[in-house]
Amino acid sequence: MSAEDEVSLLVIVVDVNPIWWGQQANREPQFTLSKCLDAVMVMGNSHLVMTRTNKLAIIASHCQESHFLYPCKLWKFGDGHGDENASTSGDGKYELLSVANDFIAEEIKNLMSRTEVKGNQTDTLLAGSLAKALCCILSIKMLTGQEMKSRILVVKAAEDCALQYMNFMNVIFAAQKQSILIDACVLDSDSGLLQQACDITGGLYLKIPQKIALAQYLLWVFLPDSDQRSQLVLPPPVHVDYRAACFCHRNLIEIGYVCSVCLSIFCNFSPICTTCETAFKIPLPQVVKSKKKKLKPST
Amino acid sequence: MDEEPERAKRWEGGYERTWEILKEDESGSLKATVEEILFQAKRKRVFESHGQVRLGMMRHLYVVIDTSRTMEDQDLKPNRLTSTLKLVEYFVEEYFDQNPISQVGIITTKNKRAEKLTDLAGNPKKHIDALKKAKDSTCGGEPSLYNSLSLAMQTLKHMPGHSSREVLIIFSSLTTCDPANIYELVKTLKALKIRVSVIGLSAEVRVCTVLTRETGGSYHVILDESHFRELLMFHVKPPPATSSSECSLIRMVFLFSLPPGFPQHTIASISDQDAKPSFSQAHLDSTSGGPGLSMGGYFCPQCQAKYTELPVECKVCGLTLVSAPHLARSFHHLFPLEAFQESPLLLHHTERFCEACQGELKDKSVFTCPSCNSVFCVECDLFIHDTLHCCPSCIHSRSAP
């Protein structure tokens, strides 16, 4: 089986949280959302150019929806370009890449201008975007029918949302079962959820020291696929903190008590589970029967 | 002993004309019917949600495999024993995937005796190795239900009350050779709250019917290999807990592993043992080759005993060692996803694309989530219910799990 027959699919999930990017424009004006998307486009183009059979998909993860920036719903993932407005670029660039780049730029502009951020929804819906990415990978696998290696690269900007923990874990286990790697490139603050995701699925986690060099980090670390990574010198794996948080105080604990019914975690023993309201059997110390002393017959 | 009404047997029912299911269309081809049958086969899994029923999440299950003379029969290819062992391997993997904090043990029975292939353990690798080796074993003699059940009972009766005690018997012979009255044993099993289920490979045997009915398990006889697989998968999901099972708080430890050579000064609670290679407790009594010496691993915080894999029960101090993702794997059983509503494609002419995979909707029916009303195609629906356990659109509409 020649290497050309293997299809490799890369799905890039970009965090476009408008609040974080807005604040970022004030903090560091030289690295804005458009620069970030330039770097992502370079990465996408490079992946498409590596092998003829490589496929690409890009999802923008917003506060209210996840939108597929590439490919368009009407296309079949780069196999047919039914768009009449696809103009040939003047500089002799490979048409697939120039059309893709124009399309991505157009879509992100539409996405950012049409969505308004309401007051209480400020967190990026990362778990939802990952779920959609998994379904999309599955449907392409059904369509092509060949052996396909796929991975997801997450470019994360804003902080974690603790409410998404369970959905996130479901997505991670689903990805592990389908042997899909999840890589993470974190721009600002460390994300415990993504560290766990990379550890469980076997991907790479990297927190970038300098945001301006995003394109270089993406190409160096995340472009090679899983077979080639064993032969390269890449950033070492991070230590992942798998301690659980107790349900009562949200502290990270090492030794805890787990309810056998609902699996909620507590740091102290309590007679009633607060989640499922089950009364527990309290282990009492066993009463030892006192032995009857034999009376010595007095002589 | 029991006067419960017996179900009507299939041969007592009316005459069925099973050929009428096939219908030809005008040109005489059966294509539409075949597609319909394939479509129904995809949707055959019944998503019964238990609702607000307590489930037994921590399970101690013994699988009893009958290795008597009848297992050499070739009605399952290549013979019953090989096919059964392969399916039990797959069952063990799926079982630990869905119930990460549970344990499984394997018992085989032949020549009127029963012996333990593997002890109750939480690590799938040991069981799968043992099953692979068992493929070369010979089948002979008669099985003994009494001996295998009493062997399982000896271990299960010491298990803590909050866990669900189960035995799954794969029974192919039509006879059993018991040293004592098996109905007495059934009474004892019922008193100890051990649930016994049987999967029959030949035909229905009365003693199995009584056994499963009294203990609250299920009894099925397979039709063919794919039905066998389905019946095995049925036992992977956690069963509803009996009303008499105790609920208790289990003391557990949540651990994280250190990659080899990790600097110790960053974590205050870990001692210097981590930088040096050390023996793992689990390898001390294993007979498979290879030294047990390894660099990284998990250390019990109470007694500093080292283990290479989780989840495990510490041999020295009895503490249960897990890591938080193990518990997270079971959460989807507690919050099950509702089944989606099926409706024909013609009613949905406004939506042409599946919400999840962005592919065109071309099957004849689409599935709608009752909470968020998004439309999905057949493959996405299967994937969402089997593997993902959460609706991709519901995650978007409300950020709470």
Side-chain angles (χ1 to χ4, degrees):
Chain A
M1 186 190 73
S2 68
E4 290 174 12
D5 294 342
E6 226 176 40
V7 178
S8 167
L9 168 62
L10 172 67
V11 181
I12 307 181
V13 176
V14 186
D15 180 3
V16 295
N17 191 331
I19 299 170
W20 190 88
W21 283 106
Q23 290 170 342
Q24 170 68 8
N26 292 337
R27 284 192 293 251
E28 257 185 75
Q30 64 267 33
F31 184 71
T32 56
L33 179 60
S34 47
K35 291 270 187 332
C36 173
L37 279 172
D38 280 341
V40 166
M41 281 200 272
V42 164
M43 169 79 180
N45 289 352
S46 315
H47 177 79
L48 284 174
V49 161
M50 291 275 277
T51 315
R52 193 175 44 88
T53 52
N54 277 357
K55 296 198 202 295
L56 176 71
I58 304 186
I59 304 179
S61 181
H62 200 274
C63 306
Q64 283 154 5
E65 60 173 305
S66 309
H67 186 72
F68 272 77
L69 291 180
Y70 178 81
C72 169
K73 283 179 182 174
L74 299 170
W75 299 350
K76 293 280 184 262
F77 287 91
D79 291 343
H81 302 257
D83 199 355
E84 302 86 40
N85 300 335
S87 53
T88 51
S89 64
D91 57 358
K93 199 164 158 184
Y94 181 24
E95 238 188 54
L96 172 66
L97 303 182
S98 61
V99 167
N101 290 349
D102 293 338
F103 194 75
I104 294 172
E106 194 60 39
E107 285 290 313
I108 190 71
K109 272 189 255 180
N110 292 343
L111 174 68
M112 298 308 273
S113 49
R114 75 164 180 253
T115 44
E116 289 170 15
V117 182
K118 303 201 187 73
N120 50 356
Q121 290 169 351
T122 56
D123 292 311
T124 327
L125 296 169
L126 199 55
S129 317
L130 286 175
K132 279 199 178 173
L134 284 180
C135 292
C136 158
I137 292 178
L138 195 77
S139 80
I140 304 181
K141 260 198 194 151
M142 299 268 162
L143 272 178
T144 58
Q146 292 166 312
E147 252 193 52
M148 204 169 81
K149 280 192 310 197
S150 28
R151 59 190 205 272
I152 303 179
L153 166 63
V154 178
V155 177
K156 189 161 192 334
E159 291 84 30
D160 270 344
C161 171
L163 296 170
Q164 292 183 359
Y165 175 74
M166 215 175 69
N167 293 327
F168 215 90
M169 298 308 278
N170 280 336
V171 167
I172 295 173
F173 294 130
Q176 192 205 17
K177 205 156 172 197
Q178 304 275 322
S179 333
I180 298 173
L181 294 175
I182 299 185
D183 298 321
C185 181
V186 173
L187 298 178
D188 197 15
S189 42
D190 267 324
S191 154
L193 288 176
L194 278 177
Q195 281 176 348
Q196 285 190 27
C198 297
D199 196 45
I200 292 176
T201 55
L204 273 174
Y205 176 89
L206 181 66
K207 180 169 171 333
I208 297 192
Q210 289 164 329
K211 300 193 200 45
I212 315 172
L214 175 64
Q216 277 150 302
Y217 285 109
L218 288 179
L219 290 176
W220 162 45
V221 180
F222 297 107
L223 186 59
D225 60 13
S226 46
D227 300 336
Q228 298 159 2
R229 280 180 195 180
S230 53
Q231 299 165 10
L232 298 169
V233 178
L234 292 170
V238 204
H239 156 70
V240 187
D241 192 358
Y242 275 127
R243 283 179 295 180
C246 71
F247 279 40
C248 29
H249 311 108
R250 293 272 150 207
N251 299 333
L252 289 175
I253 48 171
E254 242 186 34
I255 302 189
Y257 294 89
V258 174
C259 167
S260 62
V261 174
C262 63
L263 300 183
S264 356
I265 306 165
F266 300 104
C267 44
N268 292 317
F269 187 90
S270 72
I272 298 203
C273 169
T274 46
T275 325
C276 62
E277 312 200 348
T278 334
F280 296 120
K281 200 176 74 122
I282 304 177
L284 295 167
Q286 284 175 338
V287 178
V288 179
K289 275 196 192 153
S290 54
K291 288 191 193 147
K292 288 196 188 136
K293 286 193 183 150
K294 281 187 190 155
L295 294 170
K296 274 192 192 159
S298 50
T299 50
Chain B
M1 172 176 162
D2 38 359
E3 279 89 21
E4 293 170 31
E6 302 278 348
R7 292 190 316 270
K9 307 288 181 193
R10 188 142 174 195
W11 62 82
E12 293 167 350
Y15 191 60
E16 288 173 20
R17 287 186 269 206
T18 47
W19 60 86
E20 284 186 348
I21 206 172
L22 295 173
K23 288 186 179 48
E24 289 182 3
D25 58 10
E26 311 83 56
S27 55
S29 92
L30 289 172
K31 188 157 167 273
T33 323
V34 170
E35 273 178 13
E36 169 79 27
I37 294 179
L38 285 177
F39 185 76
Q40 289 300 328
K42 272 194 212 171
R43 294 285 302 153
K44 216 172 15 164
R45 244 156 299 179
V46 179
F47 302 117
E48 24 167 306
S49 71
H50 290 277
Q52 300 295 320
V53 173
R54 216 178 259 180
L55 297 176
M57 304 296 275
M58 298 191 58
R59 306 166 66 187
H60 295 279
L61 172 72
Y62 261 111
V63 180
V64 177
I65 305 181
D66 173 7
T67 44
S68 62
R69 199 176 25 95
T70 50
M71 287 297 263
E72 284 176 353
D73 212 356
Q74 294 185 350
D75 54 3
L76 292 176
K77 302 299 173 204
N79 63 5
R80 280 189 193 174
L81 182 67
T82 318
S83 172
T84 308
L85 289 176
K86 196 162 59 116
L87 283 173
V88 172
E89 262 179 52
Y90 180 67
F91 169 77
V92 164
E93 278 171 20
E94 288 290 310
Y95 178 84
F96 282 111
D97 191 50
Q98 300 274 341
N99 309 281
I101 45 179
S102 308
Q103 296 181 334
V104 149
I106 306 183
I107 294 177
T108 56
T109 167
K110 67 179 175 191
N111 282 332
K112 306 171 190 144
R113 291 184 207 104
E115 62 177 55
K116 257 189 210 173
L117 200 61
T118 53
D119 236 329
L120 269 186
N123 187 0
K125 220 168 18 140
K126 240 188 345 178
H127 300 301
I128 295 182
D129 288 338
L131 285 170
K132 287 197 161 89
K133 268 200 242 153
K135 281 197 178 127
D136 305 321
S137 64
T138 52
C139 310
E142 272 188 279
S144 172
L145 265 185
Y146 187 95
N147 286 336
S148 38
L149 282 174
S150 64
L151 184 59
M153 197 173 72
Q154 273 166 21
T155 323
L156 283 179
K157 72 181 176 196
H158 296 298
M159 288 297 130
H162 55 255
S163 63
S164 102
R165 306 163 181 167
E166 303 163 39
V167 181
L168 172 65
I169 308 182
I170 300 180
F171 200 61
S172 112
S173 151
L174 293 172
T175 60
T176 169
C177 186
D178 301 328
N181 188 357
I182 197 170
Y183 293 108
E184 296 299 325
L185 187 67
V186 172
K187 281 200 202 127
T188 323
L189 286 171
K190 196 170 168 185
L192 288 174
K193 298 175 211 139
I194 298 179
R195 196 193 312 228
V196 181
S197 302
V198 181
I199 296 181
L201 302 188
S202 308
E204 185 176 348
V205 178
R206 169 131 183 110
V207 68
C208 295
T209 316
V210 172
L211 172 65
T212 51
R213 193 174 53 209
E214 290 298 310
T215 52
S218 65
Y219 182 26
H220 295 281
V221 177
I222 65 167
L223 294 172
D224 54 23
E225 191 161 342
S226 53
H227 190 218
F228 190 4
R229 183 183 260 243
E230 255 179 60
L231 290 174
L232 271 180
M233 289 307 117
F234 181 69
H235 285 101
V236 165
K237 278 191 318 192
T242 57
S243 56
S244 44
S245 64
E246 299 156 2
C247 321
S248 49
L249 277 181
I250 312 152
R251 199 146 172 266
M252 280 191 191
V253 183
F254 300 97
L255 292 185
F256 45 95
S257 79
L258 287 185
F262 196 79
Q264 298 101 309
H265 57 264
T266 48
I267 308 285
S269 60
I270 301 296
S271 66
D272 314 277
Q273 287 175 349
D274 312 326
K276 308 189 189 98
S278 42
F279 281 103
S280 147
Q281 285 290 323
H283 285 136
L284 280 182
D285 29 65
S286 80
T287 48
S288 57
L293 212 56
S294 50
M295 287 290 283
Y298 303 90
F299 290 91
C300 171
Q302 224 174 38
C303 62
Q304 301 297 326
K306 177 173 151 172
Y307 294 92
T308 41
E309 273 165 0
L310 290 184
V312 74
E313 204 175 299
C314 179
K315 285 187 189 161
V316 177
C317 60
L319 205 55
T320 318
L321 310 173
V322 296
S323 74
H326 284 125
L327 285 188
R329 261 184 215 270
S330 312
F331 282 156
H332 69 86
H333 293 298
L334 301 168
F335 303 103
L337 187 61
E338 293 172 7
F340 290 170
Q341 293 156 354
E342 188 174 342
S343 49
L345 181 59
L346 305 165
L347 287 179
H348 295 264
H349 35 256
T350 48
E351 297 111 2
R352 285 176 53 210
F353 297 102
C354 164
E355 284 282 334
C357 63
Q358 315 289 310
E360 266 189 75
L361 293 169
K362 43 187 180 329
D363 314 300
K364 67 177 202 6
S365 54
V366 297
F367 297 90
T368 320
C369 169
S371 354
C372 61
N373 289 324
S374 346
V375 164
F376 300 103
C377 62
V378 169
E379 265 92 22
C380 287
D381 177 57
L382 269 180
F383 177 65
I384 288 171
H385 279 103
D386 279 345
T387 318
L388 201 52
H389 304 289
C390 53
C391 167
S393 310
C394 286
I395 313 179
H396 286 103
S397 53
R398 46 184 172 83
S399 20

